[in-house]
Amino acid sequence: MIGGLFIYNHKGEVLISRVYRDDIGRNAVDAFRVNVIHARQQVRSPVTNIARTSFFHVKRSNIWLAAVTKQNVNAAMVFEFLYKMCDVMASYFGKISEENIKNNFVLIYELLDEILDFGYPQNSETGSLKTFITQQGIKGQTKEEQSQITSQVTGQIGWRREGIKYRRNELFLDVLESVNLLMSPQGQVLSAHVSGRVVMKSYLSGMPECKFGMNDKIIIDKAGKGGVTNEAGKSTSGKQSIAIDDCTFNQCVRLSKFDSERSISFIPPDGEYELMRYRTTKDIILPFRVIPLVREVGRTKLEVKVVIKSNFKPSLLAQKIEVRIPTPLNTSGVQVICMKGKAKYKASENAIVWKIKRMAGMKESQISAEIELLPTNDKKKWARPPISMNFEVPFAPSGLKVRYLKVFESKLNYSDHDVIKWVRYIGRSGIYETRC
Amino acid sequence: MPAVSKGDGMRGLAVFISDIRNCKSKEAEIKRINKELANIRSKFKGDKALDGYSKKKYVCKLLFIFLLGHDIDFGHMEAVNLLSSNKYTEKQIGYLFISVLVNSNSDLISLINNAIKNDLSSRNPTFMNLALHCIANVGSREMAEAFAAEVPRILVAGDTMDSVKQSAALCLLRLNRTSPDLVLMGEWTARVVHLLNDQHLGVVTAATSLITTLAQKSPEDFKTSVSLAVARLSRIVSSASTDLQDYTYYFVAAPWLSVKLLRLLQCYPPPEDGAIRGRLTECLETILNKAQEPPKSKKVQHSNAKNAVLFEAISLIIHHDSEPTLLVRACNQLGQFLQHRETNLRYLALESMCTLASSEFSHEAVKTHIETVINALKSERDVSVRQRAVDLLYAMCDRSNAKQIVAEMLSYLETADYSIREEIVLKVAILAEKYAVDYTWYVDTILNLIRFAGDYVSDEVWYRVIQIVINRDEVQGYAAKTVFEALQAPACHENLVKVGGYILGEFGNLIAGDSRSSPLIQFDLLHSKFHLCSVPTRALLLSAYIKFINLFPEVKGTIQEVLRSDSQLRNADVELQQRAVEYLRLSSIASTDILATVLEEMPPFPERESSILAKLKRKKGPGNLHPDLDENRKERSANGGTADHSSTTSNAKSSPLSFVGDLLAPASTAPPTNRPRPVSSSYLLQAPLTPIPPQASAVPVLLSAGPLFQVAASPTPSTDLLGLGSTITTQNSAPPASKGTSLLVDVFSENIAAFPVETPVAVGPVADENFSRFVCKNNGVLYENQLLQIGLKSEFRQNLGRMYVFFGNKTSTQFMNFAASVVCQDTLQAQLNVHAKPADPTVDGGAQLQQILNIECMSDFVDAPVLNIQFRYGGTLQNVAVKLPITLNKFFQPTEMTSQDFFQRWKQLGAPQQEVQKIFKAKHSMDTEVTKAKIMGFGAALLDGVDPNPSNFVGAGVIHTKTTQVGCLLRLEPNTQAQMYRLTLRTSRDTVSQRLCDLLSEQF
């Protein structure tokens, strides 16, 4: 279990220090600073073992969060907790920065008391936390209200309180995906995968029961075999289903039901939450293709030509496109010509950065650059790092489709049809690289 | 050195550095640096010429970036350009960059060398200094090659400025360190030495460092420096503190120079010239006097400088080791420091005292401080100081104070720091052994040692205690008693169990008389520790148990029960299992007599260098040891165990070994050949001591008797007790092996290979080296060379016999056309009928072939048949001939008879031709049991109580041949004083008498 939790600024000064167990001493704080934050070589592993003590850290901008333990804990659990902790803090006071943490340290200690008990993670659902941990201080609550909070927090459905009422029952559903790619110069895919999230924002009255369906292969196959006459099932049989490699769900999803019937049913928390996370590796739609061409002209000159092709429906528009072409370390001057967007040599990053605001499907664009080099006595050859790319497209590169999202509320008098539902797909680039 | 003036300051550099300092994260810093590098690259790239200032600025930035830990791979050319500038600051930055960044194999080196040369030949002292510093800082071989001739010239030139001389001297020192072969002083020597007389103290200081290094290399060349150094030293020491102006440091006159001069003097023995010597003694006395004066300042720098000179003076006194008064004074001075507040001083005092203790003049003086040192050991907080205190105690220990020191060290051991425990343990063990007057004290000390710090007691320590106990009869009883008592503690260290197991196994009988330590109690005590021990210790305990069976027959049942239990007999560890099986078998089959011989008390160990001392030497390096240790050891080894004593005991053991082999042979299913086991180390160890022909002893023992013997009689490789076997084996195994089988057989195989194939019957030299060993036994290895091993197993009844011959292929390839035939020559053909059953013509690599010979004795015979073996190995035909050990006595049938009958018959065979008598000298030790066994092995019945003299042996039997039966009486009279035997044989046939007498007399 977690023995203590520390938050440091970029200099390694301790901002927050909360120790839960006696086996963690104050010297652990310094051990992490010396061995990780101030380490000579950048520490890349998120888990560091120093003198039989394990440190799990995540970094948010310039802030280090470190969980410390002497026991053999489930590392995945600790990281899940740390991420959750970041989310909770962000929902309370916005961006996690040194300034914000210093301004809210009382609140953070209060939160830490609530979400970790003797090192065991507790309810960390922002919605329910906000009912009793507020930044304004607790105004004179009646006894009834207090007991209601207690029963709700300790009850079976800790993530949703009762008696929520909305005039308009609305539901927003976002499918957010990031597509990762490594491609050879010849255009051969070396590795590709999509990691996606289904994020929901629900404004529903009462205690509704929701059911979510998508074009997962297993669910569809099951439905087809079982002979259940589902309209949606019929229309999307076969080719459009996708194979999900692995997925995780929010705590509100009934896992037993998923295991037995492959259906995702849940009572949603109020407000924004992440319903599920998943990963796919097959049949990925790659939104862009990068074709590099690098020619070395003598020792002091390099010619680079890069073509990008968009590979999706012409009606769709990709946004925020950025191509990053690395330059050799001995670059002394760069001339760039591009047809579309803006390109610039950024010396501080050793790269040419080419930005395009918008680009429709089935188009192509190109950039060419002349790089002047300074002869060096170093005989090392330039390692030619891959060209990387960033973009945003309005569809899911994994091919995931939402088939239905049904809402049942038996006690209140609104039905599935009365709920206004919004669905949005956003595909972003993860590490999207092409070797040159 | 002119500082960078304000107007000359590089604003761009300052801005850049402050930018970097303001970076909030590493990433930001890297970004800033990348940006700056790109900027510098574009500046350097530009075709427009940069002015000196911006060049300097950018080179400076590059240097800064490099020092931050980033790689710089350009800008070298610009830095080299800076060298030719006339401005000091630009030149300085250029040199700085080059000393930091240019590696020796750069292609710019010739340009740099050129620039340096120009600067060296300029008359400007600052430029010359810069160049010299650069040479020294780079200090590469290339630099040395280029300037080794130039620098000394500058050093001794008359018109060189003092500051340049200083730099030149230090530069030369550096070059001399990196590539001494290139710096040849030769003609400059005298002038360099003369620098010690220089007016400028800075030059003298630099020169002294240089001369010290050079003098260490070639002391003869710089001998003249001694008198100059003494003169200089005396001038400094006697000067008032204000005389030397800049070189007075906190009221101490030129401390650095003094220290260096004292170091230089330590390169040489005491000066022979009386005047110089007197002057030096005077100097040293003055330094010692000054230490007594009250300090002139309370500042720590003052006392540090003063003490530095003092300690260097003391080490010079110790180095000279010739002035008793000085040594004693030094010792007293150090004694004062022992209680000083300053930890460093205490440390240094203890360290210097260690060396003082080894000097004959000051040894007694050091001893007066023993109380203080012991106190330091107990109360000191710093572990390194305590370590020195232990060293000093070790160094000052002698016969008079050994008990006190060992006791103190032992009591300290309980609380000692873990890092120095092992060393203390070794030291205690050595001191205890070295100064032991009374060995009971020694045994007590070591047992305490194991009790207090068992984990740190290395194997050598407990090996040693066992060696000493075994070699000294007077402590054996005491040791057994003490060990027994020590083992009664509920928690014993494993080393104690090892020592206990060994000593009780050997000498448990010495305390068995006491009812509190009866055999069963001893065994139960040992066995109660058994399950907590590691495998090697358990193996040792098993050996102790089998020894118990020998010592106390009454516990045999209990021990056999233990050996028989599944946890032993089916132990997962092979070693333990094998021991359990073999010991159990040995204890149930062998008679008490055989047990007694096999499990006899260990012979004394030969005296040799204490392995503990060797270990300490390894740990500390040779320098730290007492010089008189070795002599002391020699003296003890002289009065240690004598050689003849050990030879008799081991002799006794070598003979019964063959019987052990016999015993186990039928029980074993393993074939007698092809065990790739090394010859038992102990067996070889005995080889040179015994009169058995050496080749016989080099042959491995039959069957599993090999391993059995290894464990029973002496250590196996795995528990190589006391590490004795291994070392001696290597010394002794070579000669018998080469003299014996292998060489001999090599000669044969070549000879035989030369024989034409068509005459296979032609018998070459016949191998019979093992022949005599088979007279008294029927099984064993008859012959062995690199390719082939021949084992025998035979049985005889009346006039018939059957012999199983095993041919073992020791190689990995097949023997082809294998054929073995028995040839009986001439007269033997009529006397002996040998029929060989045909065998397979091929023997696979590593496999065995069995051939059965049926033998019939027609009448008495003298010769032995020859076994001819032919086979093809690789491409060559191999031919081996071996004499088969079929002797007349094999057809002996023992006859029991009473004393009366015997003498009646004896008289009947009174005819002179019927009696054969032989008097011969004993070749082996005269052990009764062995002799009995041999006579029985010979085939005759051994008759007890026949001869009036109980030490005589009497035997009777009948030799069966097909034609006749020959009655046979024998009498063997040993004379222990003269080591002689008289053997008398009376048979009804004279040839038989003669033959039997010849055969039997060879056996003793």
Side-chain angles (χ1 to χ4, degrees):
Chain A
M1 294 307 101
I2 297 171
L5 198 132
F6 306 122
I7 301 181
Y8 300 86
N9 66 6
H10 72 282
K11 288 181 196 147
E13 292 163 341
V14 188
L15 304 178
I16 299 285
S17 155
R18 180 75 172 83
V19 175
Y20 291 93
R21 294 198 170 212
D22 291 340
D23 55 357
I24 302 300
R26 288 288 302 184
N27 54 354
V29 186
D30 301 324
F32 182 77
R33 174 177 44 238
V34 172
N35 290 296
V36 180
I37 302 181
H38 289 168
R40 217 159 247 280
Q41 226 113 60
Q42 201 186 352
V43 175
R44 297 179 70 188
S45 159
V47 184
T48 318
N49 241 302
I50 307 160
R52 291 165 156 260
T53 310
S54 310
F55 293 83
F56 305 78
H57 76 263
V58 297
K59 222 181 148 194
R60 284 282 179 274
S61 65
N62 275 331
I63 299 296
W64 300 74
L65 279 96
V68 193
T69 182
K70 281 211 160 171
Q71 281 157 314
N72 183 14
V73 298
N74 180 348
M77 187 272 285
V78 175
F79 283 109
E80 187 65 40
F81 171 78
L82 287 175
Y83 290 138
K84 199 78 202 175
M85 167 93 197
C86 293
D87 292 347
V88 170
M89 288 198 292
S91 74
Y92 269 95
F93 50 77
K95 190 173 173 283
I96 296 175
S97 65
E98 187 177 345
E99 189 79 9
N100 278 344
I101 286 177
K102 278 182 177 163
N103 290 339
N104 291 290
F105 79 93
V106 177
L107 171 77
I108 294 173
Y109 278 116
E110 209 176 332
L111 283 172
L112 282 175
D113 276 343
E114 195 55 46
I115 59 179
L116 262 188
D117 187 359
F118 194 46
Y120 293 97
Q122 306 294 311
N123 186 0
S124 52
E125 203 54 54
T126 324
S128 60
L129 281 175
K130 277 193 173 162
T131 59
F132 55 94
I133 297 177
T134 59
Q135 278 155 298
Q136 286 81 34
I138 297 176
K139 289 165 259 163
Q141 276 169 333
T142 61
K143 261 220 160 100
E144 255 172 47
E145 278 173 312
Q146 280 175 20
S147 68
Q148 199 188 352
I149 288 172
T150 314
S151 71
Q152 189 257 311
V153 169
T154 54
Q156 211 178 8
I157 303 166
W159 58 86
R160 189 179 177 95
R161 66 194 163 90
E162 284 191 55
I164 301 171
K165 275 225 165 91
Y166 288 102
R167 230 148 49 83
R168 244 153 71 108
N169 288 305
E170 264 185 313
L171 202 73
F172 299 87
L173 193 146
D174 287 351
V175 177
L176 306 175
E177 291 193 340
S178 75
V179 53
N180 300 282
L181 168 79
L182 182 63
M183 195 178 251
S184 76
Q186 287 76 35
Q188 192 187 357
V189 177
L190 300 174
S191 96
H193 75 268
V194 170
S195 58
R197 309 190 298 147
V198 177
V199 178
M200 290 182 88
K201 216 185 260 181
S202 61
Y203 303 103
L204 299 172
S205 313
M207 284 295 220
E209 170 90 32
C210 299
K211 218 171 168 187
F212 173 68
M214 56 185 177
N215 59 340
D216 177 17
K217 213 173 212 163
I218 300 169
I219 297 176
I220 290 167
D221 287 354
K222 200 172 169 79
K225 263 188 206 151
V228 180
T229 49
N230 193 324
E231 318 138 49
K234 262 183 199 163
S235 63
T236 58
S237 62
K239 61 178 175 58
Q240 278 182 27
S241 62
I242 62 159
I244 286 179
D245 287 8
D246 41 55
C247 55
T248 55
F249 293 102
N250 188 291
Q251 59 169 336
C252 63
V253 175
R254 290 194 187 89
L255 289 180
S256 55
K257 236 173 183 176
F258 179 76
D259 286 340
S260 58
E261 300 166 27
R262 283 274 165 187
S263 72
I264 303 166
S265 73
F266 55 98
I267 295 171
D270 199 38
E272 192 175 337
Y273 57 95
E274 184 185 287
L275 181 68
M276 73 178 283
R277 250 182 267 174
Y278 59 90
R279 210 171 61 89
T280 69
T281 48
K282 288 203 186 69
D283 302 326
I284 294 166
I285 307 154
L286 296 172
F288 284 96
R289 166 93 205 273
V290 178
I291 304 157
L293 214 102
V294 180
R295 203 157 68 89
E296 282 175 53
V297 189
R299 278 190 71 195
T300 58
K301 210 169 172 188
L302 201 68
E303 282 181 6
V304 180
K305 202 168 119 183
V306 176
V307 180
I308 59 169
K309 279 186 182 167
S310 55
N311 180 30
F312 45 88
K313 271 189 254 170
S315 54
L316 298 176
L317 270 182
Q319 283 182 310
K320 298 177 190 166
I321 300 153
E322 185 187 286
V323 182
R324 180 175 293 265
I325 305 160
T327 55
L329 290 176
N330 55 345
T331 304
S332 60
V334 177
Q335 275 97 49
V336 205
I337 307 160
C338 60
M339 306 190 301
K340 214 174 169 197
K342 279 179 192 161
K344 202 177 164 193
Y345 167 60
K346 284 202 175 167
S348 59
E349 288 153 42
N350 281 321
I352 299 168
V353 180
W354 176 27
K355 283 182 176 166
I356 305 169
K357 273 195 183 132
R358 254 176 242 100
M359 188 164 171
M362 303 316 242
K363 289 252 165 62
E364 71 171 73
S365 184
Q366 116 172 11
I367 182 173
S368 56
E370 252 182 51
I371 301 170
E372 285 174 74
L373 304 175
L374 188 76
T376 63
N377 10 3
D378 215 2
K379 303 289 181 285
K380 266 187 287 174
K381 236 187 150 234
W382 182 44
R384 290 202 183 190
I387 296 172
S388 62
M389 197 174 168
N390 288 317
F391 54 80
E392 202 180 291
V393 288
F395 62 92
S398 68
L400 182 124
K401 292 258 160 50
V402 176
R403 283 166 55 212
Y404 57 85
L405 180 64
K406 291 177 192 156
V407 181
F408 311 98
E409 169 52 273
S410 44
K411 286 183 193 148
L412 296 174
N413 56 349
Y414 72 92
S415 67
D416 190 29
H417 307 291
D418 302 328
V419 182
I420 307 157
K421 298 170 193 165
W422 306 86
V423 178
R424 178 166 69 160
Y425 298 92
I426 299 172
R428 289 200 183 94
S429 58
I431 296 167
Y432 201 86
E433 291 179 335
T434 307
R435 291 193 180 149
C436 60
Chain B
M1 191 201 286
V4 180
S5 65
K6 224 176 176 185
D8 212 15
M10 292 167 282
R11 223 183 99 74
L13 179 66
V15 169
F16 173 59
I17 292 175
S18 78
D19 276 2
I20 295 274
R21 297 232 166 114
N22 288 335
C23 281
K24 293 237 164 172
S25 66
K26 206 159 196 166
E27 292 74 38
E29 184 185 310
I30 290 169
K31 275 189 178 172
R32 181 69 185 87
I33 286 169
N34 280 338
K35 194 176 153 196
E36 194 60 43
L37 283 177
N39 176 33
I40 299 172
R41 278 196 300 262
S42 66
K43 286 285 195 290
F44 283 172
K45 164 85 182 177
D47 303 322
K48 63 252 170 204
L50 284 171
D51 60 341
Y53 167 78
S54 34
K55 239 187 230 170
K56 179 182 79 179
K57 184 177 75 184
Y58 293 129
V59 167
C60 248
K61 281 182 182 174
L62 286 178
L63 200 52
F64 182 75
I65 293 169
F66 177 77
L67 294 178
L68 281 177
H70 301 265
D71 280 341
I72 297 297
D73 50 10
F74 65 99
H76 301 74
M77 197 56 218
E78 283 71 17
V80 172
N81 287 343
L82 282 177
L83 293 186
S84 51
S85 161
N86 272 328
K87 278 196 187 140
Y88 171 79
T89 51
E90 290 169 18
K91 214 184 237 319
Q92 184 206 20
I93 295 294
Y95 273 123
L96 188 60
F97 187 90
I98 281 157
S99 346
V100 174
L101 260 151
V102 174
N103 48 4
S104 49
N105 49 10
S106 162
D107 36 358
L108 290 172
I109 210 82
S110 61
L111 282 174
I112 296 168
N113 283 356
N114 208 21
I116 292 176
K117 227 166 236 162
N118 286 340
D119 279 340
L120 283 184
S121 52
S122 77
R123 312 300 302 162
N124 187 333
T126 43
F127 288 0
M128 286 171 87
N129 265 345
L130 280 178
L132 285 169
H133 293 168
C134 181
I135 297 171
N137 281 335
V138 176
S140 64
R141 213 175 155 74
E142 287 71 20
M143 282 288 179
E145 272 165 7
F147 301 107
E150 185 90 359
V151 180
R153 207 163 44 74
I154 297 171
L155 177 60
V156 295
D159 54 350
T160 318
M161 302 259 296
D162 286 337
S163 62
V164 180
K165 272 191 190 167
Q166 251 173 298
S167 300
L170 293 174
C171 177
L172 203 55
L173 176 62
R174 160 80 191 200
L175 292 184
N176 183 52
R177 279 181 188 153
T178 48
S179 27
D181 52 315
L182 291 174
V183 182
L184 303 167
M185 291 310 290
E187 61 227 82
W188 316 112
T189 307
R191 300 173 73 178
V192 169
V193 170
H194 206 67
L195 286 174
L196 286 178
N197 267 342
D198 201 285
Q199 293 292 311
H200 194 258
L201 275 186
V203 177
V204 183
T205 313
T208 314
S209 299
L210 176 64
I211 293 169
T212 308
T213 314
L214 293 173
Q216 278 159 355
K217 206 173 75 180
S218 46
E220 273 313 303
D221 295 350
F222 291 88
K223 215 161 187 176
T224 45
S225 64
V226 173
S227 59
L228 290 177
V230 172
R232 176 56 85 172
L233 185 65
S234 89
R235 255 181 288 159
I236 295 170
V237 169
S238 56
S239 69
S241 56
T242 46
D243 286 1
L244 300 171
Q245 293 154 359
D246 288 351
Y247 288 85
T248 303
Y249 177 79
Y250 287 90
F251 306 104
V252 182
W256 281 276
L257 182 52
S258 312
V259 165
K260 283 183 176 176
L261 288 170
L262 288 165
R263 285 244 170 99
L264 172 60
L265 291 173
Q266 282 176 49
C267 301
Y268 292 97
E272 278 139 26
D273 183 349
I276 300 175
R277 196 178 172 137
R279 213 166 166 198
L280 178 59
T281 312
E282 208 174 286
C283 283
L284 294 172
E285 266 168 359
T286 319
I287 293 173
L288 286 173
N289 287 340
K290 275 191 181 169
Q292 296 295 335
E293 287 169 15
K296 289 188 181 124
S297 157
K298 286 204 169 138
K299 289 259 174 60
V300 65
Q301 290 94 331
H302 171 69
S303 57
N304 277 351
K306 213 165 88 173
N307 290 332
V309 177
L310 176 65
F311 273 109
E312 211 53 53
I314 290 176
S315 52
L316 179 63
I317 294 171
I318 296 170
H319 172 77
H320 284 171
D321 197 12
S322 57
E323 302 275 342
T325 47
L326 281 180
L327 281 165
V328 172
R329 280 194 67 186
C331 183
N332 293 339
Q333 184 61 51
L334 291 176
Q336 286 176 18
F337 284 145
L338 282 182
Q339 279 157 315
H340 203 275
R341 268 186 310 117
E342 192 79 22
T343 314
N344 290 333
L345 273 184
R346 290 198 301 269
Y347 181 92
L348 288 169
L350 286 168
E351 198 183 29
S352 308
M353 268 204 175
C354 271
T355 38
L356 269 180
S358 57
S359 161
E360 47 174 330
F361 300 115
S362 52
H363 187 72
E364 288 306 315
V366 171
K367 270 167 66 184
T368 57
H369 298 291
I370 182 164
E371 290 302 329
T372 327
V373 179
I374 287 173
N375 233 347
L377 192 62
K378 284 177 181 162
S379 56
E380 182 59 55
R381 290 167 74 194
D382 190 315
V383 62
S384 59
V385 180
R386 287 202 299 266
Q387 158 101 55
R388 290 286 146 250
V390 172
D391 286 349
L392 180 54
L393 279 181
Y394 178 73
M396 67 163 71
C397 188
D398 62 14
R399 220 166 271 281
S400 64
N401 54 13
K403 278 205 176 174
Q404 186 196 2
I405 287 180
V406 167
E408 287 297 341
M409 278 173 134
L410 261 183
S411 69
Y412 171 60
L413 190 56
E414 283 177 83
T415 51
D417 196 84
Y418 294 104
S419 54
I420 57 173
R421 277 196 185 180
E422 189 181 355
E423 213 184 306
I424 297 182
V425 165
L426 286 175
K427 285 185 164 153
V428 168
I430 291 170
L431 291 179
E433 186 192 334
K434 191 171 144 195
Y435 298 115
V437 199
D438 155 17
Y439 278 95
T440 56
W441 174 73
Y442 171 74
V443 170
D444 280 342
T445 307
I446 300 293
L447 287 181
N448 275 335
L449 205 59
I450 295 177
R451 205 176 304 153
F452 291 147
D455 285 338
Y456 300 91
V457 173
S458 53
D459 286 348
E460 286 87 349
V461 173
W462 75 265
Y463 288 174
R464 192 70 190 151
V465 69
I466 284 177
Q467 282 182 6
I468 283 172
V469 168
I470 286 190
N471 286 8
R472 270 166 241 290
D473 303 341
E474 68 273 18
V475 284
Q476 289 168 352
Y478 179 78
K481 188 165 152 270
T482 332
V483 163
F484 179 75
E485 278 159 11
L487 277 176
Q488 272 165 341
C492 293
H493 193 267
E494 199 165 325
N495 281 337
L496 187 65
V497 179
K498 285 182 188 163
V499 175
Y502 201 105
I503 288 185
L504 289 181
E506 293 289 335
F507 309 115
N509 52 338
L510 297 178
I511 55 165
D514 193 330
S515 61
R516 282 166 298 170
S517 54
S518 71
L520 197 61
I521 294 178
Q522 282 187 36
F523 171 73
D524 284 343
L525 183 62
L526 275 186
H527 198 58
S528 68
K529 316 283 180 202
F530 185 88
H531 301 281
L532 304 171
C533 295
S534 62
V535 169
T537 311
R538 288 188 193 191
L540 187 147
L541 283 179
L542 286 180
S543 293
Y545 295 171
I546 187 78
K547 290 229 163 191
F548 268 5
I549 293 186
N550 176 36
L551 291 179
F552 320 116
E554 63 265 40
V555 294
K556 185 171 175 178
T558 322
I559 293 175
Q560 281 184 334
E561 202 54 47
V562 168
L563 291 176
R564 198 174 290 130
S565 70
D566 276 358
S567 60
Q568 312 298 354
L569 222 47
R570 298 190 183 165
N571 197 299
D573 189 86
V574 180
E575 178 69 34
L576 289 181
Q577 196 185 54
Q578 185 173 3
R579 284 189 186 216
V581 169
E582 288 178 354
Y583 290 165
L584 184 61
R585 199 85 189 117
L586 179 69
S587 66
S588 48
I589 289 182
S591 73
T592 47
D593 294 340
I594 288 172
L595 267 184
T597 26
V598 171
L599 303 170
E600 209 192 0
E601 193 176 299
M602 289 297 286
F605 290 89
E607 286 291 330
R608 52 202 196 101
E609 188 189 358
S610 161
S611 47
I612 313 178
L613 208 61
K615 171 144 187 177
L616 190 70
K617 270 187 197 159
R618 241 179 292 139
K619 215 175 151 63
K620 301 221 78 172
N624 259 329
L625 281 165
H626 235 261
D628 59 337
L629 270 181
D630 294 48
E631 296 159 32
N632 198 289
R633 208 177 44 248
K634 269 178 221 144
E635 144 205 323
R636 266 203 324 101
S637 64
N639 55 28
T642 50
D644 51 342
H645 175 51
S646 60
S647 79
T648 45
T649 34
S650 52
N651 209 340
K653 214 178 299 167
S654 64
S655 333
L657 117 95
S658 50
F659 293 93
V660 178
D662 279 352
L663 264 173
L664 281 179
S668 167
T669 49
T673 50
N674 259 337
R675 298 278 300 254
R677 211 172 251 281
V679 178
S680 154
S681 56
S682 57
Y683 196 28
L684 284 175
L685 174 120
Q686 287 158 356
L689 302 173
T690 53
I692 298 179
Q695 63 268 37
S697 63
V699 176
V701 192
L702 170 72
L703 306 186
S704 51
L708 171 85
F709 181 65
Q710 282 176 1
V711 274
S714 149
T716 61
S718 67
T719 49
D720 187 5
L721 289 177
L722 320 183
L724 260 181
S726 52
T727 47
I728 295 190
T729 307
T730 50
Q731 291 160 9
N732 292 345
S733 61
S738 54
K739 260 191 275 166
T741 39
S742 55
L743 226 177
L744 209 59
V745 171
D746 270 356
V747 175
F748 290 163
S749 55
E750 275 166 31
N751 282 351
I752 292 165
F755 276 107
V757 188
E758 295 77 53
T759 55
V761 196
V763 177
V766 177
D768 61 350
E769 65 266 29
N770 286 341
F771 186 79
S772 66
R773 295 177 63 226
F774 283 86
V775 170
C776 290
K777 63 173 193 162
N778 289 333
N779 306 334
V781 176
L782 178 64
Y783 174 86
E784 186 166 15
N785 67 6
Q786 291 96 327
L787 308 175
L788 181 73
Q789 190 190 43
I790 304 174
L792 287 187
K793 215 168 131 182
S794 46
E795 53 197 28
F796 294 91
R797 192 173 301 132
Q798 303 211 321
N799 68 330
L800 298 175
R802 178 173 290 170
M803 188 174 265
Y804 300 89
V805 187
F806 299 92
F807 301 98
N809 182 349
K810 285 168 76 179
T811 64
S812 51
T813 44
Q814 204 182 37
F815 290 162
M816 306 291 286
N817 302 348
F818 190 89
S821 59
V822 180
V823 179
C824 295
Q825 268 139 338
D826 317 330
T827 52
L828 192 61
Q829 252 170 339
Q831 294 160 344
L832 198 67
N833 215 343
V834 183
H835 174 70
K837 288 191 175 170
D840 262 353
T842 55
V843 188
D844 286 335
Q848 262 204 2
L849 180 72
Q850 190 193 49
Q851 191 174 28
I852 301 172
L853 308 179
N854 287 322
I855 306 150
E856 190 183 12
C857 179
M858 309 303 282
S859 67
D860 63 293
F861 61 96
V862 176
D863 276 339
V866 174
L867 181 68
N868 276 321
I869 302 141
Q870 262 193 334
F871 59 90
R872 194 177 284 281
Y873 168 68
T876 55
L877 193 68
Q878 305 280 343
N879 213 331
V880 177
V882 189
K883 219 175 189 181
L884 273 181
I886 302 171
T887 48
L888 188 54
N889 66 305
K890 298 287 177 198
F891 305 97
F892 236 129
Q893 210 53 19
T895 329
E896 293 288 340
M897 55 179 77
T898 61
S899 173
Q900 209 183 350
D901 289 345
F902 181 82
F903 284 107
Q904 197 184 348
R905 295 232 182 154
W906 186 263
K907 278 176 196 140
Q908 280 171 2
L909 297 168
Q913 74 274 19
Q914 287 174 327
E915 182 190 278
V916 175
Q917 193 171 63
K918 197 171 182 182
I919 298 171
F920 55 93
K921 202 157 176 63
K923 289 181 213 148
H924 307 256
S925 81
M926 300 176 75
D927 188 290
T928 317
E929 292 301 322
V930 179
T931 314
K932 275 185 187 171
K934 276 191 180 167
I935 292 175
M936 287 192 319
F938 193 65
L942 191 70
L943 305 177
D944 267 340
V946 172
D947 203 296
N949 184 348
S951 60
N952 288 355
F953 304 95
V954 167
V958 177
I959 298 223
H960 291 262
T961 66
K962 197 176 179 186
T963 49
T964 53
Q965 296 191 352
V966 184
C968 187
L969 300 177
L970 69 91
R971 191 169 179 199
L972 182 72
E973 292 153 289
N975 181 342
T976 342
Q977 273 84 43
Q979 295 281 310
M980 302 284 274
Y981 286 105
R982 182 165 68 188
L983 178 66
T984 317
L985 268 154
R986 287 188 180 186
T987 65
S988 47
R989 202 180 262 240
D990 52 350
T991 48
V992 174
S993 299
Q994 189 57 50
R995 178 63 184 152
L996 287 181
C997 183
D998 290 346
L999 283 172
L1000 192 57
S1001 62
E1002 285 297 309
Q1003 296 300 315
F1004 295 104

